[in-house]
Amino acid sequence: MSGFPDDFLWGAATAAYQVEGSPLADGAGTSIWHRFTHDPRLMIATGDTGDVACDHYNRMESDVELMKQLGLQAYRFSVSWSRVLPEGTGRVNEAGLDFYRRLVDRLLEAGIEPLATLYHWDLPAALDDRGGWLNRESAEWFAEYAGVMFRALDGKVKKWATLNEPWVVADGGYLNGVLAPGHRSIFECAIVSRNLMRAHGRAVQTYRECGAHEVGLVINIEPKYPASDSPEDLAATARADAYMNRQYFDPALLGTCPPELPVIYGEAWEDWSAEDLALCCQPVDFVGINYYTRSVVRASETAWPLFAEHVVQEGAPHTETDWEVFPEAMTRTLLWFRERYGDLPVYIMENGAAFSDPATSAAEGIPDDDRCQYLAEHIAAVRDAIAAGVDIRGYMVWSLFDNLEWALGYAKRFGIVHVDYETLARTPKHSARLYRQIIASNGAELEHAA
């Protein structure tokens, strides 16, 4: 027995702006990420852009063939909103929509289930010019776009995610300014958080009108551990948890807001109306959870706005992005999710790590022992959560390819497939070989993994 259900779904994940390249091809509109990476006032430190990325837009068919060779059963991708609706609303760009039609068809021909995410951070710039997620009309814009995609592909795509990681959108894009669109305002962060969840709700409503399969959302969880048992550290940990984790799950699944949020946002906070909470809390068919690391938290008088700070765990293993490797927290957070939100079906939509990968010949592959160990330990953590009763139905490794890691550019590699950014050649790493064995054995190969 492997510990995984017989119909467990094994796959890999990417995001449009990170892998596709050709962001303006065939009539596509500009996105906030294209604008961000080309604006000298905002552009990421490395000067990298998504203009080429992994060139997946032009290499899609061979990439799907590679997925098949790796034994993937599912591929989670995101749709570029501005590729389909260049102005964000109104006119549909059929050439852009056709790319996703062809992608889905090739996946199905290869025996790979397509999992589509509607929003992975790349808002059309035309809508940003109208206020973007600060505009309450954004929920209706998103519902219109969602309807276009549902009518075009539902049935071939049977699992849809509305948003990916709304916390990252609000915190990185509107509070700290390190991600597109590069704003820095706690007032804006509070508004965007609400409008993102309203948009999720409207998209789910739209799916119930024209879809016939499953719809959910994807939220990143970073479990928070107190640095001590002091009242101050416990309170700081609760604030950090409310801000990053419960701020999005509670409205979507409970129809409430965490009580810590008014304290965190201060004068920027405005109570959510009963109507907004009801809109956010639409019944979903599954939840996607992204897990990478945990955070140990202590109180801090200067760490605004949470007055809580992360405590680095000296001596613990860390990834290239300075994230602690702590797989047991993955089991813990999946159990926490079940205890708080009930027996909803769960898919691990992202889990992976950036490590330094020494390049060797294609014949030998790319050795990445640290990533092999990370994946084996975290997949085992998923198995432990299943054994404890969590209804987990699939696992998507992040990421299929080395790609543009947002504000970190191309410096950090998360892929199980190495991408040579000069030639764009793909070379499976040892982790891809391990993952293929895990898939083929439905997890039984974990007993022999790193």
Side-chain angles (χ1 to χ4, degrees), residues 2 29 53 72 80 97 107 120 124 160 242 256 261 335 364-365 406 439 444:
S2 71
L72 298 187
S80 168
L97 183 56
L107 289 168
H120 200 132
W160 296 88
T256 62
L261 293 186
L335 292 170
E364 297 174 352
W406 304 111
I439 294 172

Side-chain angles (χ1 to χ4, degrees), residues 154-186:
D154 190 57
K156 292 183 175 180
V157 174
K158 297 182 179 180
K159 293 181 178 63
W160 296 88
T162 56
L163 306 175
N164 180 77
E165 299 184 346
W167 176 80
V168 178
V169 177
D171 180 86
Y174 291 87
L175 178 63
N176 291 303
V178 296
L179 304 175
H183 297 189
R184 296 172 184 262
S185 167
I186 194 169

Side-chain angles (χ1 to χ4, degrees), residues 132-140 191 194-195 198 273 276:
W133 293 115
L134 293 166
N135 190 328
R136 280 184 65 86
E137 288 300 307
S138 56
E140 296 305 317
I191 294 168
R194 183 192 316 211
N195 284 338
R198 293 177 59 251
S273 69
D276 280 352

Side-chain angles (χ1 to χ4, degrees), residues 48-104:
D48 293 328
T49 74
D51 290 1
V52 176
C54 301
D55 197 32
H56 177 65
Y57 188 74
N58 295 308
R59 298 167 186 254
M60 177 268 290
E61 294 196 4
S62 60
D63 284 343
V64 172
E65 179 59 30
L66 177 57
M67 296 178 210
K68 183 178 180 180
Q69 293 171 10
L70 295 179
L72 298 187
Q73 299 169 349
Y75 175 53
R76 180 190 172 218
F77 64 94
S78 76
V79 177
S80 168
W81 185 346
S82 56
R83 203 182 284 288
V84 176
L85 292 167
E87 290 81 38
T89 60
R91 178 180 63 88
V92 175
N93 177 31
E94 290 295 335
L97 183 56
D98 187 58
F99 169 73
Y100 297 105
R101 290 192 181 104
R102 289 186 291 109
L103 169 61
V104 168

Side-chain angles (χ1 to χ4, degrees), residues 342-366:
D343 289 317
L344 276 168
V346 170
Y347 291 85
I348 307 303
M349 289 296 198
E350 292 181 25
N351 176 238
F355 290 107
S356 178
D357 302 328
T360 62
S361 71
E364 297 174 352
I366 307 293

Side-chain angles (χ1 to χ4, degrees), residues 28-264:
T30 302
S31 76
I32 57 172
W33 264 97
H34 182 80
R35 178 180 282 176
F36 186 85
T37 59
H38 288 80
D39 187 333
R41 298 167 300 175
L42 300 171
M43 59 191 296
I44 60 182
T46 57
D48 293 328
T49 74
D51 290 1
V52 176
C54 301
D55 197 32
H56 177 65
Y57 188 74
N58 295 308
R59 298 167 186 254
M60 177 268 290
E61 294 196 4
S62 60
D63 284 343
V64 172
E65 179 59 30
L66 177 57
M67 296 178 210
K68 183 178 180 180
Q69 293 171 10
L70 295 179
L72 298 187
Q73 299 169 349
Y75 175 53
R76 180 190 172 218
F77 64 94
S78 76
V79 177
S80 168
W81 185 346
S82 56
R83 203 182 284 288
V84 176
L85 292 167
E87 290 81 38
T89 60
R91 178 180 63 88
V92 175
N93 177 31
E94 290 295 335
L97 183 56
D98 187 58
F99 169 73
Y100 297 105
R101 290 192 181 104
R102 289 186 291 109
L103 169 61
V104 168
D105 286 345
R106 297 294 87 75
L107 289 168
L108 292 174
E109 290 168 4
I112 300 170
E113 181 170 356
L115 311 181
T117 301
L118 293 172
Y119 189 70
H120 200 132
W121 310 355
D122 48 356
L123 186 75
L127 294 183
D128 193 50
D129 292 339
R130 297 165 63 183
W133 293 115
L134 293 166
N135 190 328
R136 280 184 65 86
E137 288 300 307
S138 56
E140 296 305 317
W141 302 338
F142 189 61
E144 178 185 340
Y145 156 58
V148 170
M149 297 307 305
F150 296 153
R151 286 186 289 272
L153 287 173
D154 190 57
K156 292 183 175 180
V157 174
K158 297 182 179 180
K159 293 181 178 63
W160 296 88
T162 56
L163 306 175
N164 180 77
E165 299 184 346
W167 176 80
V168 178
V169 177
D171 180 86
Y174 291 87
L175 178 63
N176 291 303
V178 296
L179 304 175
H183 297 189
R184 296 172 184 262
S185 167
I186 194 169
F187 289 88
E188 291 191 0
C189 182
I191 294 168
V192 166
S193 295
R194 183 192 316 211
N195 284 338
L196 284 166
M197 298 313 298
R198 293 177 59 251
H200 156 73
R202 281 292 293 120
V204 174
Q205 288 179 335
T206 301
Y207 190 74
R208 300 307 177 200
E209 296 168 0
C210 62
H213 300 281
E214 298 183 5
V215 65
L217 80 163
V218 179
I219 292 179
N220 56 308
I221 293 183
E222 186 179 276
K224 308 298 183 180
Y225 287 62
S228 77
D229 291 332
S230 72
E232 294 80 10
D233 284 354
L234 292 173
T237 303
R239 290 193 299 273
D241 175 67
Y243 177 67
M244 186 168 185
N245 301 323
R246 289 181 279 126
Q247 180 172 194
Y248 301 95
F249 269 135
D250 280 9
L253 302 180
L254 301 178
T256 62
C257 285
E260 296 90 348
L261 293 186
V263 175
I264 293 167

